[in-house]
Amino acid sequence: MVLFLVSFLIGLNSAQAWDHHQAIMSQLMDTKAASSRDYLKMMVVIPSEEDQKKTLETLVKELEVNAEKIPLQKVGKVSAADFIQGESIDEPDFGMDQDLPDSTDPKNDRAWMGGKTGPTSQGFRHMFFQGIEWSSPLRTLQIPFHGIGQSPERILKLHSISKKFFEEKNIFWGLRTLLWELHFIQDLHQPFHVMQVPYFKMLPWKDLFRKFVARSTQVIANYHYAYEGLVNESVHEGKLSTLVPCFELEAAPQFPEINAAMVAEVVQLSRKHAHEIGVPLHQLWDRDLKDPVMNLPEGMGALDYYSYLHANAEENNQKQDVESVNQILKTTCDLMKNLTKITFSELDQSFKSISISTGK
C-alpha cells in the first residue's frame, strides 16, 4: 500500500504555475497604489544584447539555470511600470529551471516533483511541499512525508542578487531579477503549489483498483488547470473583475525585506486556503474533471469559465454554482491581497535608494 501511494503521489507533482503572472502585474500597475509611486515613472534602460550576454554568463553560474532558455530583451527604454507589466515576470516559466544537471538537485527533489527532463522538471524550484502534518494527515497527505522543493531558497537567492544590482544602480538587472523573485512568490500563493491534494474527495476513488495512479494524476491536473482558468478569466476582465479590489493596498505595507520567515508565512497562508478552494472546486466540476476524456493540460475538453463567473443564482438552479464560485474568488482574493502587499513592499524597498532624476 505504501509503494502504491508513493507511485500515485509522485505522479501528482507536475510543474504548473500561475499562467497569468503578467495579467496580475498589469492589475497591480492599474491601482491607486501604483499611481502614487513616482519611481514607477522612471525609465529603465535595456542594455545591448552583448552587455546582456555578459551579465547572463555570471547569473547563469550563480543561479544554476539553463542559459539557453533565458531570452535577450530588445534594446531601448521603457518606464518601470511598463517593464513590470512585460514578460520578465514570466521568464522563470520559459525553461530556465528545466533539464538541469543532478548537481542542482542535491536532495533529489525532482524524483518527487516532475522528473529530471521536460517542462515538468522545473517543478522542484517552483513548488514547496513542507511535509505531512500528523495532526491532520488526511488533509495534508503527502509523499514523501518530509519537506521537498527549492522555491523558498530560490526566492531568497534572487532577492539577494536583485538587491546587489539595485545597490549598484543597475535598474534593468535589479528589476528583472526582482521580477523573477516575485514570480516565485506568486507561485507560492497558488494552493496547488504547496499542497499535493487540496481536498481528498478530488481523487477518483471509484478507480481505486483500476489505473488509479494515472487517473489521479490526470484529475488533479484538471483541477489545477480549472482553478487557474477560472481565476485567469476573472483577472482578464480587467476593471470588471470581482478581484480588482484585491489588488488595492489598504495601507502602506509594513514588511521588512523578504526573509525566510515571511516565505514560510506565505506557504502557511496558501496551505490554509487550499482546502477552502478545493471544496468548492470539487462541488463545481467533480463530474466534469473526473471524466476520462477531460485532460485540460493536454487541451482535451474545456470549461466555460465566463458562464460560471456570470451565473445568476435565480436562474436554472445555479445557486450552488454561484456560491461555489464566490467562495473560490473570496479565498483567492485573500491570497491576492497578501501577494499585493508583498509585491509593493519589495518594489518600494528596492527603489528606495534610486533617485528619480538619474534616469537609469
Side-chain angles (χ1 to χ4, degrees), residues 3 5 15 41-42 55 71 74 101 106 120 163 193 204 237 252 269 279 286:
L3 290 176
L5 283 174
K41 302 173 186 175
M42 184 184 302
T55 302
K74 185 178 179 180
T120 62
K163 181 178 179 180
H193 277 240
E237 290 186 342
L269 177 68
V279 172
D286 182 49

Side-chain angles (χ1 to χ4, degrees), residues 260-319:
M262 287 174 62
V263 175
E265 288 176 2
V266 171
V267 172
Q268 287 304 313
L269 177 68
S270 194
R271 283 172 68 85
K272 171 188 172 185
H273 288 331
H275 187 264
E276 298 170 9
I277 284 173
V279 172
L281 279 173
H282 176 265
Q283 292 172 340
L284 273 178
W285 293 312
D286 182 49
R287 180 178 299 178
D288 294 296
L289 299 181
K290 287 179 181 173
D291 187 330
V293 302
M294 179 74 80
N295 192 328
L296 296 180
E298 298 296 328
M300 298 168 58
L303 296 171
D304 185 357
Y305 303 115
Y306 181 89
S307 68
Y308 282 93
L309 286 171
H310 299 279
N312 188 332
E314 306 302 321
E315 296 180 3
N316 300 323
N317 300 315
Q318 297 183 62
K319 183 178 180 181

Side-chain angles (χ1 to χ4, degrees), residues 36-54:
S36 67
R37 285 163 163 75
D38 287 341
Y39 65 76
L40 294 175
K41 302 173 186 175
M42 184 184 302
M43 298 305 294
V44 177
V45 178
I46 302 174
S48 69
E49 290 190 357
E50 190 62 33
D51 284 344
Q52 290 183 56
K53 289 178 182 178
K54 289 179 181 178

Side-chain angles (χ1 to χ4, degrees), residues 186-347:
Q186 288 182 6
D187 276 355
L188 288 185
H189 283 81
Q190 215 290 28
F192 283 86
H193 277 240
V194 297
M195 292 284 280
Q196 286 177 327
V197 184
Y199 182 41
F200 75 95
K201 286 187 177 181
M202 289 177 167
L203 297 173
W205 295 110
K206 72 175 184 179
D207 295 318
L208 183 59
F209 302 107
R210 184 183 60 184
K211 299 182 179 180
F212 187 61
V213 174
R215 290 287 294 122
S216 296
T217 301
Q218 179 182 353
V219 170
I220 293 298
N222 280 341
Y223 274 112
H224 189 147
Y225 271 70
Y227 172 55
E228 292 193 354
L230 184 70
V231 175
N232 193 38
E233 181 73 27
S234 180
V235 170
H236 277 292
E237 290 186 342
K239 294 184 181 298
L240 298 177
S241 173
T242 58
L243 292 176
V244 165
C246 314
F247 296 101
E248 284 287 358
L249 285 175
E250 297 176 356
Q254 300 297 317
F255 291 120
E257 287 186 24
I258 200 77
N259 54 52
M262 287 174 62
V263 175
E265 288 176 2
V266 171
V267 172
Q268 287 304 313
L269 177 68
S270 194
R271 283 172 68 85
K272 171 188 172 185
H273 288 331
H275 187 264
E276 298 170 9
I277 284 173
V279 172
L281 279 173
H282 176 265
Q283 292 172 340
L284 273 178
W285 293 312
D286 182 49
R287 180 178 299 178
D288 294 296
L289 299 181
K290 287 179 181 173
D291 187 330
V293 302
M294 179 74 80
N295 192 328
L296 296 180
E298 298 296 328
M300 298 168 58
L303 296 171
D304 185 357
Y305 303 115
Y306 181 89
S307 68
Y308 282 93
L309 286 171
H310 299 279
N312 188 332
E314 306 302 321
E315 296 180 3
N316 300 323
N317 300 315
Q318 297 183 62
K319 183 178 180 181
Q320 180 62 61
D321 289 349
V322 170
E323 291 176 353
S324 295
V325 169
N326 287 343
Q327 178 60 50
I328 292 169
L329 295 181
K330 179 179 181 296
T331 304
T332 301
C333 185
D334 289 340
L335 292 165
M336 292 302 175
K337 284 181 178 179
N338 194 68
L339 183 155
T340 294
K341 288 187 288 186
I342 292 179
T343 297
F344 278 114
S345 176
E346 288 295 279
L347 286 169

Side-chain angles (χ1 to χ4, degrees), residues 88-100:
S88 293
I89 187 70
D90 281 315
E91 286 175 344
D93 279 341
F94 291 177
M96 67 171 69
D97 294 317
Q98 297 172 14
D99 305 311
L100 299 177

